[in-house]
Amino acid sequence: MENILQYIESNKERYLSELKDFLAIPSVSSQSDHNGDIQLCAQWIADHMKTIGMNNVKIMPTPGHPVVYSEWLGAPGAPTVLFYGHYDVQPVDPLNLWTSPPFEMTIRNGNIYARGSADDKGQVLIHFKGIEALMKQTGKLPVNIKMLIEGEEEVGSANLDNFVKQNKELLKSDLVLISDSSMFAKGVPSICYALRGLSYLEIEVNGPNRDLHSGSFGGSVHNPIQALTEMIASLHDKNGKVTIPGFYNDVRPLSKAERDAFKKLPFSEKKYAKELGVKELYGEKGFSSLERVWARPTLECNGIWGGYTGEGAKTVLPAKAFAKISCRLVPDQESGKIAKMVEKHLKKIAPKTIDIQVRNLHGGEAAITPIDSAGVKAAVAALEKGFGKKPLYQREGGSIPIVVQFKKLLGLDTVLLGFGLPDENAHSPNEFLNIDNFFGGIRTSVHFFNELPHYWHNRNQKKK
Ligand code: BES
Ligand code: ZN
């Protein structure tokens, strides 16, 4: 073990320069002018997988962006880990709010800044580098590994379900490992055991057949922006609850034990509000912030537009207004059912003065993973060795829709081993990965693969 950790120490600079190359590729999945970069990025990963000793490296096409696959199956009798990650990133706008350019990795104050540093390229590279260290120092791995790195996670993984269905045999494994979430806080490693689901909708409101002079027509026609904002405003009541009938019907209530466990976590609502720059927190009455974000469903307006938004004033009564709405979901809500419920409700409350169209963009189910599995036990031991501290257990508010699908389609439980931080600015300007977490993550990766066979082989032994 010493020599492997020493190898990591002596290769730190090279690891960072490889991360810089990886982050320089603007693999934005939602913008088609970046399709070439997506291909470049898939190729970069495939080449990299070969250099760390992975076999059967393939760039596998899908109707959307390609999946990069590889395997190392030289440990007969040992468990097989399916490592999932994503190489696509979110758009970078607003660009002027970045302190350094989003695709030029820059280290400041112990943080590695770039789009994708935490979400998820940096976390993918963590395991590549852990595997490289094991391979270079021992010539083998303690476990079998299959890797599936996709390019459409940030746009809802629309093609991944089919990909998994069509490649069941290829992907056959014993457990899934994902590093695409955060630690509880700096210096506080954690195991994440639940993610929220998602339903994402777009609303189009149509009023008059053309933009109108607001003086000549204002007062006689319902402004579509007004109609839309009236509808959206009515979706929450004064207690911060969503007003759509049936919205909470399938919500699995929090147990007393879980609420108590959340209360014991080192979290201050005051500090949280201060760090976010809000005067007061807001949310569903009767729940703490951690409960609201981790275990309660929400409805958010992600964007709203229409009319004149350019420089100066223009007196216009617009023909159209739009909004994007998303719901974060918890077990046992179903994404498709909620999307239909929201659509039906919007159509019901839409005034007769306008026309409304609702489009379902994408969705995914919430996940809860067992915390007593062999994989989680190995992860706990690995985090303790990698970061020198016992991890705590937490949930997350974000979504990784494939987690539930891995269970449904392949029967696999997932270990969520996150190395990001809650304030990492994922999806916003100045995204970063903490440099200590990058190297702590690499050490943890090595320990995880080393520990796993032991816990795996003892997994059925009952505690006496
Ligand atoms: N890395 C995140 C998921 C995540 C976020 C996990 C926060 C834990 C905490 C992932 O890349 C992501 O952003 N997913 C999308 C999924 C959606 C597009 C279906 C999300 O949560 O918005
Ligand atoms: Zn991610």
Side-chain angles (χ1 to χ4, degrees):
M1 204 60 202
E2 261 322 297
N3 58 333
I4 300 169
L5 298 177
Q6 190 48 53
Y7 178 90
I8 296 171
E9 274 304 307
S10 6
N11 284 281
K12 277 186 161 175
E13 286 309 312
R14 179 173 54 83
Y15 280 7
L16 284 173
S17 92
E18 288 168 354
L19 180 59
K20 191 179 173 95
D21 293 343
F22 193 12
L23 293 172
I25 310 170
S27 46
V28 180
S29 50
S30 61
Q31 298 171 337
S32 53
D33 52 334
H34 284 291
N35 283 357
D37 299 313
I38 287 276
Q39 297 300 325
L40 278 178
C41 198
Q43 190 61 53
W44 190 93
I45 294 169
D47 293 343
H48 203 83
M49 283 173 170
K50 285 178 199 157
T51 69
I52 61 171
M54 297 298 292
N55 301 321
N56 196 17
V57 177
K58 312 194 248 198
I59 297 179
M60 301 176 75
T62 74
H65 303 321
V67 164
V68 191
Y69 174 86
S70 64
E71 60 193 28
W72 189 88
L73 303 175
T80 301
V81 178
L82 177 60
F83 171 52
Y84 163 89
H86 64 93
Y87 65 84
D88 65 323
V89 299
Q90 289 275 339
V92 294
D93 59 280
L95 190 58
N96 61 326
L97 294 185
W98 286 79
T99 305
S100 48
F103 298 108
E104 283 174 34
M105 183 185 112
T106 307
I107 299 179
R108 286 192 302 276
N109 314 322
N111 292 327
I112 304 167
Y113 286 88
R115 172 57 88 232
S117 52
D119 187 9
D120 179 36
K121 288 169 165 177
Q123 300 206 53
V124 166
L125 202 71
I126 280 175
H127 292 291
F128 286 2
K129 297 295 97 181
I131 287 168
E132 173 190 320
L134 280 160
M135 285 288 227
K136 289 276 153 56
Q137 289 301 299
T138 66
K140 57 185 187 330
L141 299 178
V143 294
N144 302 295
I145 293 193
K146 296 182 175 182
M147 290 184 173
L148 187 176
I149 313 297
E150 74 146 322
E152 297 190 308
E153 197 275 345
E154 298 292 7
V155 287
S157 303
N159 296 295
L160 199 61
D161 272 16
N162 270 338
F163 180 89
V164 173
K165 279 182 203 151
Q166 286 159 7
N167 291 284
K168 274 193 175 172
E169 201 48 40
L170 183 73
L171 300 175
K172 204 169 167 206
S173 309
D174 294 307
L175 69 155
V176 176
L177 170 66
I178 301 181
S179 290
D180 189 22
S181 51
S182 300
M183 306 197 333
F184 188 75
K186 176 87 178 85
V188 188
S190 59
I191 295 281
C192 175
Y193 64 92
L195 296 158
R196 287 198 289 185
L198 188 72
S199 299
Y200 204 116
L201 304 149
E202 190 173 281
I203 310 172
E204 177 174 341
V205 170
N206 280 287
N209 58 11
R210 59 192 191 278
D211 282 4
L212 300 173
H213 189 296
S214 69
S216 311
F217 295 93
S220 64
V221 175
H222 200 171
N223 184 323
I225 298 179
Q226 185 192 337
L228 178 60
T229 50
E230 283 164 350
M231 289 168 66
I232 291 177
S234 77
L235 298 178
H236 290 92
D237 69 13
K238 60 178 191 314
N239 292 323
K241 279 205 187 293
V242 175
T243 54
I244 300 171
F247 187 76
Y248 294 97
N249 278 2
D250 299 331
V251 170
R252 195 187 300 177
L254 267 163
S255 67
K256 164 117 181 24
E258 210 173 359
R259 293 190 94 165
D260 288 347
F262 287 6
K263 277 193 202 114
K264 290 202 186 101
L265 294 170
F267 181 81
S268 148
E269 302 243 347
K270 244 196 185 150
K271 262 200 202 151
Y272 180 64
K274 192 159 179 238
E275 199 274 323
L276 294 173
V278 293
K279 280 187 257 168
E280 252 183 63
L281 295 168
Y282 168 86
E284 192 185 354
K285 213 171 167 182
F287 296 93
S288 71
S289 287
L290 289 182
E291 289 170 346
R292 289 168 181 165
V293 174
W294 290 352
R296 296 294 298 171
T298 55
L299 182 147
E300 302 289 337
C301 178
N302 299 265
I304 184 159
W305 70 102
Y308 183 71
T309 56
E311 194 185 345
K314 178 185 179 194
T315 45
V316 63
L317 194 165
K320 289 170 183 286
F322 301 85
K324 292 187 193 275
I325 299 274
S326 68
C327 299
R328 292 285 168 175
L329 310 175
V330 300
D332 298 304
Q333 291 179 297
E334 284 171 38
S335 157
K337 192 170 159 186
I338 293 289
K340 282 206 192 91
M341 194 183 279
V342 177
E343 176 173 353
K344 197 173 144 202
H345 180 73
L346 287 169
K347 288 187 169 156
K348 200 181 107 201
I349 62 169
K352 289 202 177 62
T353 47
I354 50 105
D355 256 354
I356 180 167
Q357 285 171 35
V358 181
R359 292 181 280 272
N360 185 359
L361 297 189
H362 63 64
E365 307 305 338
I368 292 210
T369 59
I371 53 170
D372 56 353
S373 67
V376 167
K377 283 180 188 157
V380 169
L383 280 169
E384 196 170 354
K385 290 187 175 168
F387 285 86
K389 228 186 208 171
K390 261 199 168 47
L392 43 82
Y393 294 89
Q394 70 162 104
R395 295 171 70 152
E396 281 272 21
S399 311
I400 309 177
I402 200 64
V403 171
V404 165
Q405 296 307 99
F406 280 142
K407 182 73 183 177
K408 275 195 194 143
L409 301 171
L410 302 174
L412 303 179
D413 286 322
T414 294
V415 177
L416 293 162
L417 197 49
F419 300 112
L421 288 177
D423 61 350
E424 70 194 5
N425 298 324
H427 298 198
S428 60
N430 302 316
E431 175 179 352
F432 69 84
L433 176 65
N434 180 263
I435 200 162
D436 296 335
N437 287 14
F438 180 60
F439 291 110
I442 296 172
R443 291 193 299 274
T444 303
S445 171
V446 167
H447 288 300
F448 176 74
F449 295 127
N450 251 342
E451 297 283 338
L452 184 62
H454 163 73
Y455 288 99
W456 185 258
H457 292 302
N458 294 334
R459 71 190 180 285
N460 293 328
Q461 279 176 13
K462 289 261 160 341
K463 273 195 200 135
K464 289 230 174 88

PDB file of all heavy atoms in Angstrom, residues 6-30:
ATOM      1  N   GLN A   6       2.757   6.348  -2.334  1.00  0.00           N
ATOM      2  CA  GLN A   6       3.961   7.085  -2.734  1.00  0.00           C
ATOM      3  C   GLN A   6       3.906   7.443  -4.220  1.00  0.00           C
ATOM      4  O   GLN A   6       4.248   8.550  -4.622  1.00  0.00           O
ATOM      5  CB  GLN A   6       5.213   6.236  -2.416  1.00  0.00           C
ATOM      6  CG  GLN A   6       6.520   6.990  -2.558  1.00  0.00           C
ATOM      7  CD  GLN A   6       6.478   8.353  -1.859  1.00  0.00           C
ATOM      8  OE1 GLN A   6       6.151   8.445  -0.673  1.00  0.00           O
ATOM      9  NE2 GLN A   6       6.765   9.440  -2.603  1.00  0.00           N
ATOM     10  N   TYR A   7       3.423   6.482  -5.018  1.00  0.00           N
ATOM     11  CA  TYR A   7       3.279   6.709  -6.467  1.00  0.00           C
ATOM     12  C   TYR A   7       2.365   7.912  -6.713  1.00  0.00           C
ATOM     13  O   TYR A   7       2.657   8.789  -7.532  1.00  0.00           O
ATOM     14  CB  TYR A   7       2.726   5.448  -7.136  1.00  0.00           C
ATOM     15  CG  TYR A   7       2.499   5.580  -8.637  1.00  0.00           C
ATOM     16  CD1 TYR A   7       3.487   5.265  -9.561  1.00  0.00           C
ATOM     17  CD2 TYR A   7       1.271   6.036  -9.128  1.00  0.00           C
ATOM     18  CE1 TYR A   7       3.283   5.383 -10.922  1.00  0.00           C
ATOM     19  CE2 TYR A   7       1.047   6.179 -10.494  1.00  0.00           C
ATOM     20  CZ  TYR A   7       2.055   5.857 -11.392  1.00  0.00           C
ATOM     21  OH  TYR A   7       1.831   5.988 -12.737  1.00  0.00           O
ATOM     22  N   ILE A   8       1.254   7.967  -5.976  1.00  0.00           N
ATOM     23  CA  ILE A   8       0.309   9.090  -6.133  1.00  0.00           C
ATOM     24  C   ILE A   8       1.014  10.398  -5.786  1.00  0.00           C
ATOM     25  O   ILE A   8       0.940  11.386  -6.527  1.00  0.00           O
ATOM     26  CB  ILE A   8      -0.951   8.888  -5.245  1.00  0.00           C
ATOM     27  CG1 ILE A   8      -1.720   7.640  -5.707  1.00  0.00           C
ATOM     28  CG2 ILE A   8      -1.855  10.116  -5.265  1.00  0.00           C
ATOM     29  CD1 ILE A   8      -2.854   7.207  -4.784  1.00  0.00           C
ATOM     30  N   GLU A   9       1.761  10.387  -4.650  1.00  0.00           N
ATOM     31  CA  GLU A   9       2.498  11.588  -4.231  1.00  0.00           C
ATOM     32  C   GLU A   9       3.443  12.068  -5.321  1.00  0.00           C
ATOM     33  O   GLU A   9       3.479  13.248  -5.655  1.00  0.00           O
ATOM     34  CB  GLU A   9       3.327  11.298  -2.964  1.00  0.00           C
ATOM     35  CG  GLU A   9       2.573  11.457  -1.664  1.00  0.00           C
ATOM     36  CD  GLU A   9       1.943  12.834  -1.504  1.00  0.00           C
ATOM     37  OE1 GLU A   9       2.640  13.882  -1.631  1.00  0.00           O
ATOM     38  OE2 GLU A   9       0.728  12.847  -1.263  1.00  0.00           O
ATOM     39  N   SER A  10       4.183  11.119  -5.905  1.00  0.00           N
ATOM     40  CA  SER A  10       5.208  11.549  -6.873  1.00  0.00           C
ATOM     41  C   SER A  10       4.625  11.904  -8.232  1.00  0.00           C
ATOM     42  O   SER A  10       5.352  12.418  -9.075  1.00  0.00           O
ATOM     43  CB  SER A  10       6.325  10.512  -7.043  1.00  0.00           C
ATOM     44  OG  SER A  10       6.064   9.350  -6.351  1.00  0.00           O
ATOM     45  N   ASN A  11       3.352  11.599  -8.450  1.00  0.00           N
ATOM     46  CA  ASN A  11       2.780  11.911  -9.766  1.00  0.00           C
ATOM     47  C   ASN A  11       1.747  13.032  -9.728  1.00  0.00           C
ATOM     48  O   ASN A  11       1.011  13.242 -10.695  1.00  0.00           O
ATOM     49  CB  ASN A  11       2.166  10.643 -10.369  1.00  0.00           C
ATOM     50  CG  ASN A  11       3.244   9.712 -10.904  1.00  0.00           C
ATOM     51  OD1 ASN A  11       3.773   9.929 -11.993  1.00  0.00           O
ATOM     52  ND2 ASN A  11       3.610   8.714 -10.121  1.00  0.00           N
ATOM     53  N   LYS A  12       1.714  13.743  -8.600  1.00  0.00           N
ATOM     54  CA  LYS A  12       0.681  14.785  -8.421  1.00  0.00           C
ATOM     55  C   LYS A  12       0.650  15.797  -9.566  1.00  0.00           C
ATOM     56  O   LYS A  12      -0.409  16.119 -10.092  1.00  0.00           O
ATOM     57  CB  LYS A  12       0.915  15.535  -7.109  1.00  0.00           C
ATOM     58  CG  LYS A  12       0.338  14.824  -5.898  1.00  0.00           C
ATOM     59  CD  LYS A  12       0.483  15.678  -4.662  1.00  0.00           C
ATOM     60  CE  LYS A  12      -0.473  15.198  -3.595  1.00  0.00           C
ATOM     61  NZ  LYS A  12      -0.301  15.904  -2.335  1.00  0.00           N
ATOM     62  N   GLU A  13       1.815  16.291  -9.938  1.00  0.00           N
ATOM     63  CA  GLU A  13       1.848  17.337 -10.962  1.00  0.00           C
ATOM     64  C   GLU A  13       1.301  16.826 -12.290  1.00  0.00           C
ATOM     65  O   GLU A  13       0.538  17.510 -12.970  1.00  0.00           O
ATOM     66  CB  GLU A  13       3.285  17.868 -11.141  1.00  0.00           C
ATOM     67  CG  GLU A  13       3.742  18.761 -10.005  1.00  0.00           C
ATOM     68  CD  GLU A  13       2.730  19.874  -9.698  1.00  0.00           C
ATOM     69  OE1 GLU A  13       2.275  20.553 -10.646  1.00  0.00           O
ATOM     70  OE2 GLU A  13       2.383  20.048  -8.509  1.00  0.00           O
ATOM     71  N   ARG A  14       1.714  15.593 -12.640  1.00  0.00           N
ATOM     72  CA  ARG A  14       1.232  15.030 -13.912  1.00  0.00           C
ATOM     73  C   ARG A  14      -0.292  14.807 -13.845  1.00  0.00           C
ATOM     74  O   ARG A  14      -1.014  15.104 -14.802  1.00  0.00           O
ATOM     75  CB  ARG A  14       1.936  13.706 -14.223  1.00  0.00           C
ATOM     76  CG  ARG A  14       1.426  13.078 -15.528  1.00  0.00           C
ATOM     77  CD  ARG A  14       2.223  11.851 -15.957  1.00  0.00           C
ATOM     78  NE  ARG A  14       2.306  10.837 -14.931  1.00  0.00           N
ATOM     79  CZ  ARG A  14       1.348   9.937 -14.705  1.00  0.00           C
ATOM     80  NH1 ARG A  14       0.251   9.920 -15.419  1.00  0.00           N
ATOM     81  NH2 ARG A  14       1.514   9.041 -13.752  1.00  0.00           N
ATOM     82  N   TYR A  15      -0.773  14.319 -12.718  1.00  0.00           N
ATOM     83  CA  TYR A  15      -2.216  14.103 -12.571  1.00  0.00           C
ATOM     84  C   TYR A  15      -2.964  15.415 -12.827  1.00  0.00           C
ATOM     85  O   TYR A  15      -3.987  15.450 -13.503  1.00  0.00           O
ATOM     86  CB  TYR A  15      -2.548  13.587 -11.163  1.00  0.00           C
ATOM     87  CG  TYR A  15      -2.313  12.098 -10.944  1.00  0.00           C
ATOM     88  CD1 TYR A  15      -1.704  11.303 -11.918  1.00  0.00           C
ATOM     89  CD2 TYR A  15      -2.709  11.487  -9.747  1.00  0.00           C
ATOM     90  CE1 TYR A  15      -1.507   9.934 -11.697  1.00  0.00           C
ATOM     91  CE2 TYR A  15      -2.516  10.127  -9.523  1.00  0.00           C
ATOM     92  CZ  TYR A  15      -1.905   9.359 -10.494  1.00  0.00           C
ATOM     93  OH  TYR A  15      -1.719   8.016 -10.281  1.00  0.00           O
ATOM     94  N   LEU A  16      -2.430  16.508 -12.260  1.00  0.00           N
ATOM     95  CA  LEU A  16      -3.102  17.802 -12.442  1.00  0.00           C
ATOM     96  C   LEU A  16      -3.026  18.257 -13.891  1.00  0.00           C
ATOM     97  O   LEU A  16      -3.983  18.836 -14.414  1.00  0.00           O
ATOM     98  CB  LEU A  16      -2.467  18.859 -11.523  1.00  0.00           C
ATOM     99  CG  LEU A  16      -2.852  18.766 -10.051  1.00  0.00           C
ATOM    100  CD1 LEU A  16      -2.041  19.749  -9.219  1.00  0.00           C
ATOM    101  CD2 LEU A  16      -4.354  19.016  -9.844  1.00  0.00           C
ATOM    102  N   SER A  17      -1.906  17.958 -14.542  1.00  0.00           N
ATOM    103  CA  SER A  17      -1.821  18.436 -15.928  1.00  0.00           C
ATOM    104  C   SER A  17      -2.734  17.601 -16.827  1.00  0.00           C
ATOM    105  O   SER A  17      -3.281  18.108 -17.811  1.00  0.00           O
ATOM    106  CB  SER A  17      -0.371  18.497 -16.399  1.00  0.00           C
ATOM    107  OG  SER A  17      -0.005  17.304 -17.021  1.00  0.00           O
ATOM    108  N   GLU A  18      -2.953  16.343 -16.488  1.00  0.00           N
ATOM    109  CA  GLU A  18      -3.930  15.545 -17.250  1.00  0.00           C
ATOM    110  C   GLU A  18      -5.353  16.058 -17.010  1.00  0.00           C
ATOM    111  O   GLU A  18      -6.173  16.123 -17.930  1.00  0.00           O
ATOM    112  CB  GLU A  18      -3.811  14.067 -16.866  1.00  0.00           C
ATOM    113  CG  GLU A  18      -2.542  13.443 -17.424  1.00  0.00           C
ATOM    114  CD  GLU A  18      -2.215  12.071 -16.854  1.00  0.00           C
ATOM    115  OE1 GLU A  18      -2.921  11.616 -15.924  1.00  0.00           O
ATOM    116  OE2 GLU A  18      -1.256  11.454 -17.335  1.00  0.00           O
ATOM    117  N   LEU A  19      -5.619  16.431 -15.761  1.00  0.00           N
ATOM    118  CA  LEU A  19      -6.937  16.994 -15.458  1.00  0.00           C
ATOM    119  C   LEU A  19      -7.156  18.262 -16.279  1.00  0.00           C
ATOM    120  O   LEU A  19      -8.244  18.490 -16.826  1.00  0.00           O
ATOM    121  CB  LEU A  19      -7.055  17.284 -13.950  1.00  0.00           C
ATOM    122  CG  LEU A  19      -8.380  17.873 -13.475  1.00  0.00           C
ATOM    123  CD1 LEU A  19      -9.557  16.957 -13.804  1.00  0.00           C
ATOM    124  CD2 LEU A  19      -8.355  18.152 -11.970  1.00  0.00           C
ATOM    125  N   LYS A  20      -6.108  19.056 -16.386  1.00  0.00           N
ATOM    126  CA  LYS A  20      -6.187  20.305 -17.165  1.00  0.00           C
ATOM    127  C   LYS A  20      -6.560  20.011 -18.626  1.00  0.00           C
ATOM    128  O   LYS A  20      -7.428  20.679 -19.204  1.00  0.00           O
ATOM    129  CB  LYS A  20      -4.838  21.028 -17.082  1.00  0.00           C
ATOM    130  CG  LYS A  20      -4.850  22.434 -17.615  1.00  0.00           C
ATOM    131  CD  LYS A  20      -3.466  23.069 -17.451  1.00  0.00           C
ATOM    132  CE  LYS A  20      -3.426  24.409 -18.123  1.00  0.00           C
ATOM    133  NZ  LYS A  20      -3.697  25.544 -17.270  1.00  0.00           N
ATOM    134  N   ASP A  21      -5.935  18.986 -19.195  1.00  0.00           N
ATOM    135  CA  ASP A  21      -6.249  18.616 -20.593  1.00  0.00           C
ATOM    136  C   ASP A  21      -7.706  18.163 -20.733  1.00  0.00           C
ATOM    137  O   ASP A  21      -8.398  18.525 -21.682  1.00  0.00           O
ATOM    138  CB  ASP A  21      -5.342  17.463 -21.063  1.00  0.00           C
ATOM    139  CG  ASP A  21      -3.886  17.889 -21.158  1.00  0.00           C
ATOM    140  OD1 ASP A  21      -3.632  19.110 -21.175  1.00  0.00           O
ATOM    141  OD2 ASP A  21      -3.011  16.992 -21.195  1.00  0.00           O
ATOM    142  N   PHE A  22      -8.137  17.357 -19.787  1.00  0.00           N
ATOM    143  CA  PHE A  22      -9.500  16.816 -19.805  1.00  0.00           C
ATOM    144  C   PHE A  22     -10.521  17.960 -19.713  1.00  0.00           C
ATOM    145  O   PHE A  22     -11.519  18.017 -20.445  1.00  0.00           O
ATOM    146  CB  PHE A  22      -9.630  15.855 -18.609  1.00  0.00           C
ATOM    147  CG  PHE A  22     -10.840  14.958 -18.588  1.00  0.00           C
ATOM    148  CD1 PHE A  22     -11.682  14.794 -19.686  1.00  0.00           C
ATOM    149  CD2 PHE A  22     -11.132  14.221 -17.420  1.00  0.00           C
ATOM    150  CE1 PHE A  22     -12.782  13.942 -19.631  1.00  0.00           C
ATOM    151  CE2 PHE A  22     -12.223  13.374 -17.368  1.00  0.00           C
ATOM    152  CZ  PHE A  22     -13.056  13.237 -18.468  1.00  0.00           C
ATOM    153  N   LEU A  23     -10.228  18.921 -18.800  1.00  0.00           N
ATOM    154  CA  LEU A  23     -11.165  20.025 -18.564  1.00  0.00           C
ATOM    155  C   LEU A  23     -11.144  21.065 -19.686  1.00  0.00           C
ATOM    156  O   LEU A  23     -12.047  21.887 -19.790  1.00  0.00           O
ATOM    157  CB  LEU A  23     -10.835  20.704 -17.221  1.00  0.00           C
ATOM    158  CG  LEU A  23     -11.093  19.839 -15.979  1.00  0.00           C
ATOM    159  CD1 LEU A  23     -10.541  20.520 -14.726  1.00  0.00           C
ATOM    160  CD2 LEU A  23     -12.592  19.563 -15.808  1.00  0.00           C
ATOM    161  N   ALA A  24     -10.092  21.007 -20.523  1.00  0.00           N
ATOM    162  CA  ALA A  24      -9.983  21.995 -21.607  1.00  0.00           C
ATOM    163  C   ALA A  24     -10.964  21.696 -22.739  1.00  0.00           C
ATOM    164  O   ALA A  24     -11.220  22.544 -23.587  1.00  0.00           O
ATOM    165  CB  ALA A  24      -8.555  22.016 -22.134  1.00  0.00           C
ATOM    166  N   ILE A  25     -11.513  20.476 -22.751  1.00  0.00           N
ATOM    167  CA  ILE A  25     -12.431  20.120 -23.842  1.00  0.00           C
ATOM    168  C   ILE A  25     -13.849  20.562 -23.458  1.00  0.00           C
ATOM    169  O   ILE A  25     -14.417  20.047 -22.497  1.00  0.00           O
ATOM    170  CB  ILE A  25     -12.411  18.595 -24.098  1.00  0.00           C
ATOM    171  CG1 ILE A  25     -10.956  18.095 -24.241  1.00  0.00           C
ATOM    172  CG2 ILE A  25     -13.238  18.244 -25.329  1.00  0.00           C
ATOM    173  CD1 ILE A  25     -10.817  16.587 -24.259  1.00  0.00           C
ATOM    174  N   PRO A  26     -14.430  21.510 -24.201  1.00  0.00           N
ATOM    175  CA  PRO A  26     -15.746  22.048 -23.794  1.00  0.00           C
ATOM    176  C   PRO A  26     -16.906  21.116 -24.175  1.00  0.00           C
ATOM    177  O   PRO A  26     -17.690  21.417 -25.066  1.00  0.00           O
ATOM    178  CB  PRO A  26     -15.821  23.379 -24.538  1.00  0.00           C
ATOM    179  CG  PRO A  26     -14.818  23.302 -25.630  1.00  0.00           C
ATOM    180  CD  PRO A  26     -13.861  22.192 -25.372  1.00  0.00           C
ATOM    181  N   SER A  27     -17.033  20.018 -23.463  1.00  0.00           N
ATOM    182  CA  SER A  27     -18.003  18.972 -23.829  1.00  0.00           C
ATOM    183  C   SER A  27     -19.402  19.284 -23.280  1.00  0.00           C
ATOM    184  O   SER A  27     -19.931  18.559 -22.445  1.00  0.00           O
ATOM    185  CB  SER A  27     -17.512  17.621 -23.325  1.00  0.00           C
ATOM    186  OG  SER A  27     -17.068  17.730 -21.985  1.00  0.00           O
ATOM    187  N   VAL A  28     -19.970  20.378 -23.762  1.00  0.00           N
ATOM    188  CA  VAL A  28     -21.302  20.814 -23.324  1.00  0.00           C
ATOM    189  C   VAL A  28     -22.355  19.999 -24.088  1.00  0.00           C
ATOM    190  O   VAL A  28     -22.470  20.130 -25.303  1.00  0.00           O
ATOM    191  CB  VAL A  28     -21.501  22.320 -23.591  1.00  0.00           C
ATOM    192  CG1 VAL A  28     -22.882  22.772 -23.128  1.00  0.00           C
ATOM    193  CG2 VAL A  28     -20.408  23.139 -22.928  1.00  0.00           C
ATOM    194  N   SER A  29     -23.099  19.178 -23.388  1.00  0.00           N
ATOM    195  CA  SER A  29     -23.987  18.229 -24.088  1.00  0.00           C
ATOM    196  C   SER A  29     -25.246  18.873 -24.643  1.00  0.00           C
ATOM    197  O   SER A  29     -25.860  18.350 -25.566  1.00  0.00           O
ATOM    198  CB  SER A  29     -24.365  17.081 -23.153  1.00  0.00           C
ATOM    199  OG  SER A  29     -24.832  17.582 -21.918  1.00  0.00           O
ATOM    200  N   SER A  30     -25.658  20.010 -24.092  1.00  0.00           N
ATOM    201  CA  SER A  30     -26.957  20.560 -24.503  1.00  0.00           C
ATOM    202  C   SER A  30     -26.850  21.460 -25.729  1.00  0.00           C
ATOM    203  O   SER A  30     -27.859  21.850 -26.284  1.00  0.00           O
ATOM    204  CB  SER A  30     -27.569  21.346 -23.342  1.00  0.00           C
ATOM    205  OG  SER A  30     -26.717  22.418 -22.997  1.00  0.00           O
TER     206      SER A  30
END
